[in-house]
Amino acid sequence: MDKDHEPLLNDKDCEAKSGTLYSTAADTPKCNFISARHALALLTFFGFVNVYALRVNLSVALIAMVNNTAGEGLDNITKECKEPLLNESHDDITGEFNWDSESQGIILSSFFYGYIFTQIPGGMLAERIGAKKLFGFGILCTTLLTMLTPLAARTSFTALVVCRVLEGLGEGVTFPAAHALWANWAPPLERSKLISFSYGGSQIGTVIALPISGLLCQAWGWPSVFYLFGAFGLLWFVLWMSLVTDLPKDHPRISSEELHYLQKTIGDVSKMRKLCTRSDTLW
């Protein structure tokens, strides 16, 4: 072959490159069905679907929970719109709680009072107790509290606010835990694809939960919203704890080819973290 037309990398060069951190696409192990890291991405995706469904379902259910005919709700109807609205009001759901707009705002915002406090501690907890457990039990905590929401709402206004704050505390650790988990599982050449897919569940969860919550309120009442999404969260938790591990080497169903590929491209993250903690530099 003419030297002017020789490829920049020949086969031997590619073989040498495959031993470095950035391996070629040909080095990626083939899987007959689904690889362990892709199964992790799928479960993480549904985890975030559940996270955001549990977060936004109250926004729709609250409409059915509140008695909109109480107070000054009808006083603001103009004469031009009054007659059509009254004709269409026969199918409206009258809620059992007489919460004004300020109380509703406190209920909806109380989630984020807890959410902001576990963002930074979530990353440190993931290093100590494991990202798998933190992510799983964080969503389980929110799931159980979501299923208790009808009871809390019927107990008192304060009980509902406290319940929502605790839900925020549970969900606040999910993103830090997911970051720590992908540090062990995502090869450099696949990192953006795996992480963007798994985090995409947050948007899908919002899109799915909003219309389904409205249909559930109309068909079976507002408590069904919290029970159904809570049941989905419990099912997801069982699958998560059964199929996911913190490290590829601990996974019982990972193929030897995939394990070798991950160890070659990512390395031993735990050893690198130990070296970083021994450094005298603060950052």
Side-chain angles (χ1 to χ4, degrees):
M1 182 182 293
D2 191 354
K3 292 184 178 181
D4 295 335
H5 297 84
E6 287 184 358
L8 295 177
L9 290 176
N10 54 34
D11 295 339
K12 292 182 179 180
D13 293 330
C14 291
E15 291 177 2
K17 285 285 184 181
S18 65
T20 62
L21 178 63
Y22 297 95
S23 62
T24 61
D27 294 321
T28 305
K30 304 299 186 297
C31 181
N32 294 329
F33 179 61
I34 184 172
S35 64
R37 66 187 184 280
H38 291 146
L40 173 62
L42 192 62
L43 285 170
T44 309
F45 172 85
F46 283 109
F48 279 110
V49 168
N50 192 51
V51 162
Y52 274 76
L54 296 173
R55 179 187 300 190
V56 305
N57 56 10
L58 181 62
S59 301
V60 178
L62 190 64
I63 300 174
M65 296 169 66
V66 175
N67 185 354
N68 293 311
T69 61
E72 54 184 7
L74 294 179
D75 295 338
N76 297 326
I77 301 177
T78 62
K79 294 180 179 180
E80 291 80 7
C81 299
K82 184 175 182 179
E83 188 64 26
L85 285 175
L86 290 176
N87 290 336
E88 296 173 3
S89 63
H90 297 290
D91 296 330
D92 291 343
I93 300 175
T94 302
E96 56 187 281
F97 304 104
N98 296 325
W99 295 326
D100 57 18
S101 59
E102 182 179 356
S103 299
Q104 295 176 45
I106 294 174
I107 293 171
L108 292 174
S109 62
S110 58
F111 173 91
F112 298 97
Y113 296 147
Y115 188 78
I116 61 174
F117 283 108
T118 50
Q119 295 290 314
I120 296 178
M124 295 184 289
L125 287 173
E127 299 294 332
R128 292 181 176 273
I129 67 175
K132 167 194 169 180
K133 291 182 179 179
L134 185 64
F135 189 80
F137 282 101
I139 297 180
L140 176 64
C141 174
T142 306
T143 297
L144 295 177
L145 290 169
T146 297
M147 300 181 77
L148 291 175
T149 298
L151 176 62
R154 286 166 175 162
T155 299
S156 68
F157 173 81
T158 303
L160 178 59
V161 171
V162 171
C163 184
R164 291 292 293 178
V165 171
L166 294 176
E167 286 183 37
L169 289 172
E171 280 198 16
V173 301
T174 52
F175 275 99
H179 288 314
L181 193 62
W182 280 122
N184 298 323
W185 277 93
L189 292 179
E190 301 179 27
R191 188 166 295 156
S192 59
K193 177 176 65 176
L194 291 171
I195 294 177
S196 60
F197 172 77
S198 59
Y199 290 176
S202 58
Q203 285 73 36
I204 299 298
T206 303
V207 171
I208 291 176
L210 292 176
I212 290 180
S213 297
L215 294 174
L216 290 173
C217 288
Q218 187 176 17
W220 294 299
W222 63 265
S224 63
V225 174
F226 305 102
Y227 297 144
L228 180 67
F229 287 111
F232 175 75
L234 293 177
L235 175 61
W236 173 88
F237 176 77
V238 173
L239 294 175
W240 176 263
M241 298 303 293
S242 303
L243 302 176
V244 173
T245 59
D246 285 311
L247 299 174
K249 65 181 181 180
D250 298 328
H251 200 288
R253 289 168 295 277
I254 191 172
S255 65
S256 57
E257 293 82 2
E258 183 181 10
L259 178 60
H260 175 70
Y261 171 69
L262 295 177
Q263 290 176 337
K264 180 177 61 176
T265 55
I266 301 175
D268 194 337
V269 179
S270 60
K271 289 183 179 179
M272 289 188 287
R273 286 170 182 163
K274 290 180 180 179
L275 291 175
C276 292
T277 55
R278 293 173 183 173
S279 174
D280 295 333
T281 306
L282 176 62
W283 304 108

